Amino acid sequence: SQCTCSESCLLSEDQFLCSICLDVFTDPVSTPCGHNFCKTCITQHWDVNIPYQCPMCKEVFYRRPELRVNTFISEMAAQFRKSSQKKASSRSDQPCAKPGEVPCDVCTGTKLKALKSCLVCLASYCETHLEPHQRITGLKSHQLIDPVENMEGRMCKKHDKPLELFCKTDQMCVCLLCTASDHKSHDIVPLKEEYEGKKAELGKTEAEIQQMIQKRRVTIQEIKRSVELSREDADREITDSVRVFTALMQSVERGQAELIGMIEEKQKTTEKQAEGFIKELQQEISELMRRSTEVEQLSHTEDHLHLLQSLPSLSAPPHTKNWTEVRVHRSSYEGSVRRAVAQLEETLSKEMKKLCADLELKRVQHFEVDVTLDPDTAQSYLILSDDGKQVNNGEVKKNLPDNPKRFSHCPCVLGKQSVSSGRFYYEVQVKGKTDWDLGVARESINRKGNISLSPKNGYWTIWLRNENEYKALADSPVRLSLKSQPQKVGVFVDYEEGLVSFYDVDAAALIYSYSGCSFTEKLHPYFSPDLNHGGKNSNPLIICPVNHTN
């Protein structure tokens, strides 16, 4: 049977309050109509209010009733006052119900925060009013849960019984009577059993949600890191671009200064030539003016002998230059400018190509990866250094286990590191070698027997043979014509772009690129120092740290 709060709790506070002073009774008395008041309160009320009327029910008494103290209520009020003081002391340490929190259903006045809700009593209790459920035997069996609101919603609306079972067939809460009617023959389990199962599922779901949240937080960090790296790349490329264009501007300024100097030098030559011509002309004018004066004087002389003796020298033509063919040369400037501009263009083109190549190399060098050789893949004739940075062919077979990763016939070894996304770069010293192979290879490549290096077989490589024969081992091999022999080779991979490029590091020159590749699995760095050739090719391949200061 259900238990009401009045059966498990003390009488409520309202039953011990005087309706006039609204405080606990003091010397309580009863009126003929059966209502109770403090003796002082009702006496003072009737002293000023005639006729004599009950303040509660308004019954009129034509004679003033004789009042006597109700000893039973007086004793109960005293006990209640004492209990109230004790409760007030304990309640003062309990928290009041805040908005959104479940209040105690029993508290009057200020509602305290409920500590538990009873699924049998369908009420919520604070710590004080929960005490009977912890003490009284009949109440101890009641099911207590964390405080919830709307306890009425936990009753079956059809049968007015607690919803203490769960129908797994219809996925709904039911009461005991429901199992004999609408849910007969259904899969019914105790509500607590289903609760525990669902709670476990929720725990698993919560773990999955937390895992999803964590993955997304990691993704956010990865995106932020990508933005940071992109910003670093952008800043680096801006700096490099400024350096390139500054160098080009300096070349233009040098060319301009040289052109101006050449024009000014030619102008000085022209001016010097003109000065010489003017000086000669002035000398000729002076001579002609002297002869003109002599002729004029002679024309007026009366001395026949003097005239005849002087006339032959004056009649002879003066020693002068034919100035009709003499010119100051001016047309040479335009041709000089054209030649200077053409020379500047050629210089700028060469410098631009060199600077762009240098800029491209520096860009890919920023994706440097610390590569080490994997001894489990090395053919048994190869000798690897302890730090995993050098490999050469020792021509003596070592007794090594033939595991699936090891090359059995060809003198090859892979790097431990692999890439399945993004970009990576490493450099290898090939100085002093007559033969070598370098590049990258798919993880699933065939490592047993003879190997054919080509992209269709999972290899993107270049090689050197006979000291100066370079090839890119594409599906159709490409002979490479290099201006200089590389002493250090850089290998760059952009996985998403499907790009594998090789660089002559010292010359900052691109050797060859495989583009438009389709990568679907991990790629490993690939090395082959080739055969020793009786000591002619004994130098090792050396994985070098990248020098970013070049």
Side-chain angles (χ1 to χ4, degrees), residues 252-383:
V252 171
E253 290 171 357
R254 285 195 302 270
Q256 183 185 41
E258 290 173 1
L259 179 59
I260 292 173
M262 181 182 66
I263 293 173
E264 289 181 344
E265 186 64 31
K266 285 187 173 293
Q267 177 62 23
K268 288 180 181 179
T269 302
T270 299
E271 291 176 357
K272 187 175 181 179
Q273 183 188 42
E275 288 176 359
F277 289 159
I278 292 170
K279 185 176 181 180
E280 286 185 55
L281 286 167
Q282 287 176 341
Q283 288 175 349
E284 289 186 3
I285 289 171
S286 297
E287 179 61 28
L288 290 172
M289 287 180 67
R290 183 188 63 76
R291 178 173 288 211
S292 175
T293 301
E294 289 181 358
V295 169
E296 183 181 1
Q297 291 176 350
L298 192 61
S299 66
H300 293 91
T301 184
E302 297 293 336
D303 188 345
H304 299 79
L305 180 61
H306 178 65
L307 173 63
L308 293 173
Q309 289 176 340
S310 302
L311 190 58
S313 61
L314 293 174
S315 299
H319 298 289
T320 60
K321 185 184 292 187
N322 182 5
W323 293 98
T324 58
E325 300 299 328
V326 176
R327 294 288 185 274
V328 175
H329 298 290
R330 298 172 55 194
S331 60
S332 60
Y333 295 142
E334 184 177 350
S336 298
V337 170
R338 282 199 300 269
R339 286 192 298 274
V341 169
Q343 185 178 0
L344 179 60
E345 286 178 348
E346 183 180 355
T347 301
L348 288 177
S349 178
K350 289 180 180 178
E351 290 195 15
M352 185 68 175
K353 288 179 180 178
K354 185 178 184 307
L355 288 169
C356 287
D358 184 57
L359 181 63
E360 171 64 13
L361 180 60
K362 286 187 178 297
R363 183 184 71 83
V364 300
Q365 283 179 330
H366 286 291
F367 300 101
E368 176 189 8
V369 173
D370 185 14
V371 174
T372 53
L373 302 170
D374 184 357
D376 291 337
T377 67
Q379 190 230 21
S380 57
Y381 284 90
L382 298 184
I383 300 173

Side-chain angles (χ1 to χ4, degrees), residues 131-142:
E131 186 270 337
H133 278 76
Q134 298 168 335
R135 176 173 49 84
I136 299 174
T137 303
L139 299 179
K140 285 183 179 180
S141 62
H142 289 189

